[in-house]
Amino acid sequence: MAETTDQPRVSMDEITALAKRRGFIFPSSDIYGGIGGFYDYGPLGAMLKRNVKDAWWREMVEKRDDVVPFDSSIIMHPKVWKASGHIDAFHDRMVDCKVCKHRFRADHLRNAEQCPDCGSKNSFTDARNFNLMLQTFVGPMEDSAAVAYLRPETAQGIFVNFKNIYQTARKRPPFGVAQIGKAFRNEITPGNFTFRLREFEQAELEYFVPDDGNDLAAFDGWVKARRQWYSDYGIKTDRLRFYELKEDERPHYAKAGVDVEYLFPWGWGELESIAHRGTYDLDAHMKLSGKDLRYFDESQKAHYTPLLIESSAGMDRTTLVMLVDAYERERSTDPNGKETERIVLRFHPKIAPLQAAVFSLARNKPDLVELARGIERDLRAVFRTQYDEGNIGQLYRRQDEIGTPFCITVDYDTLDDRSVTVRQRDSMKQERIAIDGLRNYLNDRL
Ligand code: GAP
């Protein structure tokens, strides 16, 4: 489904450089040269990703009475992965270059004759399967009986607990179980910054419905809800598409499937998959475990296996989309006719790492500094804020680059009129606001 754009608005190099310069995302273990497929989130990145996860959690769990939260362990009984099909079938086709020994995913080479790394011709081995699960050992013995896997998706923890959950939460289908957590895949070729990682976070919703003829309507309802989510949190709709999978693109048991894709600088990439998985997952665990996971319908005095609708979104990919989508290089002419340029991240205010920055115009004026710090402390109780001081132009530039919607400056007039200058990130408009009115001013706009 790869498609390229003629002229991306922003390059991945620009995004990677900004992410490092401002402390959003760093390569993991950077001082030792990094490790492929792993990244660390710096102070602003950690806040950004936290806001993305909170936004998902708020809309998908907290605001609904038909979804319950869950949090399962990363390592589970290896039979979980046997039943789910991951041990037998979760692999990519892989080839090696016989000359430089580099490894590639066969589907990424697309019939290329030459090695993309060393340029050798016809140097590839035959393709073979490569299982993507990361292995470890549990307990003191490092033998085959102790092999365990780091989960490649969070969903299975929900399936094996289905009965525990519906009984204790006293829920009957239709209802959903949601979880956000780490997943691990030993990707052959991680890349595109944090798009394809070996350690990443998923936000998964498993929605169980009765087989009463309303399942496809429930599927459509979730597609609609997810479309709404992206739009509510500011993702441009023309850079997002909901690709409906055709029958031959879906697993045999899936009645419907939609991939949510974003137009990244390198082309369309999947952010989330929404799938109607029938009874496949619960059936598989009932078969291997011999345990009955069916729902008991008290009114009918009968057991049945509910159908499953899954929405599975990558939180690292969504965070990356927030960065890419918000990025703008803006040129304008200042009042003196001089051409200026700024980089601005136009985050949605709920997603922005910081919501307001408070500045003292002068570093060496204790009364200004004290007043500005006091204002920041007061706002901090309600908003995500930061105090800073120094050259106002540089301070604005920094806050634009990290996407802070409002900058509040305490200047010499403030001491007399108890007002501050509030500057809006997007319009750069400035207005004088009384200190006492700041909380309300921000509340109305955030
Ligand atoms: N339980 C269903 C499931 O795991 P998936 O399409 O394999 O479905 C869902 O994964 C989402 O998880 C993807 O759309 C993507 O956002 C994220 N994801 C998968 N592999 C990833 C990787 N290697 N790096 C970052 N995110 C990944």
Side-chain angles (χ1 to χ4, degrees), residues 38-286:
F38 299 87
Y39 280 90
D40 297 335
Y41 287 83
L44 290 170
M47 281 195 269
L48 177 64
K49 189 174 168 191
R50 160 70 46 207
N51 296 341
V52 169
K53 290 194 288 182
D54 283 352
W56 189 92
W57 195 255
R58 199 160 39 244
E59 306 295 339
M60 305 291 282
V61 188
E62 289 172 357
K63 282 196 186 171
R64 302 190 62 115
D65 64 1
D66 60 346
V67 175
V68 295
F70 199 63
D71 189 355
S72 61
S73 62
I74 286 174
I75 293 179
M76 292 189 272
H77 196 292
K79 280 191 178 164
V80 169
W81 308 112
K82 183 71 189 165
S84 69
H86 284 85
I87 287 181
D88 297 323
F90 191 53
H91 45 237
D92 278 339
R93 303 281 286 163
M94 167 189 88
V95 298
D96 292 311
C97 168
K98 286 183 234 168
V99 179
C100 70
K101 311 286 182 217
H102 287 179
R103 219 156 239 196
F104 306 94
R105 248 171 78 170
D107 62 330
H108 285 177
L109 290 177
R110 290 207 200 97
N111 304 325
E113 286 185 344
Q114 245 164 294
C115 170
D117 283 0
C118 71
S120 304
K121 255 192 137 184
N122 299 321
S123 61
F124 299 125
T125 59
D126 288 340
R128 54 192 194 286
N129 288 339
F130 175 79
N131 194 290
L132 296 181
M133 280 198 294
L134 276 157
Q135 282 190 21
T136 186
F137 299 98
V138 170
M141 307 295 283
E142 291 198 355
D143 56 20
S144 58
V147 167
Y149 304 94
L150 304 190
R151 65 182 177 198
E153 60 173 18
T154 70
Q156 299 299 327
I158 294 176
F159 304 145
V160 299
N161 278 287
F162 175 65
K163 198 168 183 176
N164 287 337
I165 298 170
Y166 86 70
Q167 284 181 340
T168 54
R170 299 191 298 125
K171 287 285 177 199
R172 56 180 299 178
F175 81 96
V177 186
Q179 128 159 268
I180 298 181
K182 290 265 183 175
F184 302 81
R185 296 183 189 179
N186 199 6
E187 298 283 356
I188 298 169
T189 41
N192 282 335
F193 199 30
T194 54
F195 182 79
R196 181 163 291 104
L197 297 167
R198 291 181 167 133
E199 174 179 340
F200 54 97
E201 259 182 294
Q202 287 184 318
E204 299 203 283
L205 170 94
E206 310 300 330
Y207 199 74
F208 300 94
V209 299
D211 193 358
D212 60 3
N214 293 317
D215 50 316
L216 282 171
F219 176 84
D220 290 343
W222 277 109
V223 172
K224 215 171 138 212
R226 294 302 300 145
R227 196 189 280 278
Q228 189 66 43
W229 188 91
Y230 288 103
S231 140
D232 285 351
Y233 288 95
I235 301 299
K236 314 286 181 307
T237 44
D238 57 342
R239 298 179 198 147
L240 200 64
R241 73 178 182 194
F242 282 62
Y243 177 84
E244 227 169 279
L245 298 174
K246 299 178 191 73
E247 198 171 347
D248 61 351
E249 293 170 323
R250 305 193 296 257
H252 63 91
Y253 49 80
K255 233 168 141 178
V258 164
D259 281 349
V260 184
E261 299 178 333
Y262 181 80
L263 189 54
F264 286 97
W266 67 84
W268 292 97
E270 181 195 308
L271 271 189
E272 168 173 353
S273 69
I274 308 173
H276 181 319
R277 297 179 57 86
T279 58
Y280 181 82
D281 305 281
L282 290 178
D283 283 344
H285 286 297
M286 286 196 279

Side-chain angles (χ1 to χ4, degrees), residues 10-27 39 193 320 323 327 329 343 345 401-402:
V10 49
S11 71
M12 279 315 288
D13 285 348
E14 283 171 277
I15 294 291
T16 316
L18 173 74
K20 191 162 182 183
R21 182 168 75 243
R22 293 299 184 190
F24 282 98
I25 302 172
F26 310 116
Y39 280 90
F193 199 30
L320 181 59
L323 266 176
Y327 188 99
R329 186 179 280 280
I343 291 170
L345 293 183
E401 272 200 29
I402 64 175

Side-chain angles (χ1 to χ4, degrees), residues 271-327:
L271 271 189
E272 168 173 353
S273 69
I274 308 173
H276 181 319
R277 297 179 57 86
T279 58
Y280 181 82
D281 305 281
L282 290 178
D283 283 344
H285 286 297
M286 286 196 279
K287 193 163 170 225
L288 191 67
S289 69
K291 298 280 165 30
D292 190 358
L293 296 176
R294 290 174 303 168
Y295 179 76
F296 182 68
D297 189 332
E298 202 66 61
S299 62
Q300 307 282 325
K301 297 277 177 263
H303 284 93
Y304 72 88
T305 310
L307 307 173
L308 174 75
I309 289 151
E310 175 183 76
S311 143
S312 177
M315 292 291 96
D316 304 271
R317 285 188 189 178
T318 309
T319 303
L320 181 59
V321 162
M322 292 294 177
L323 266 176
V324 172
D325 204 62
Y327 188 99

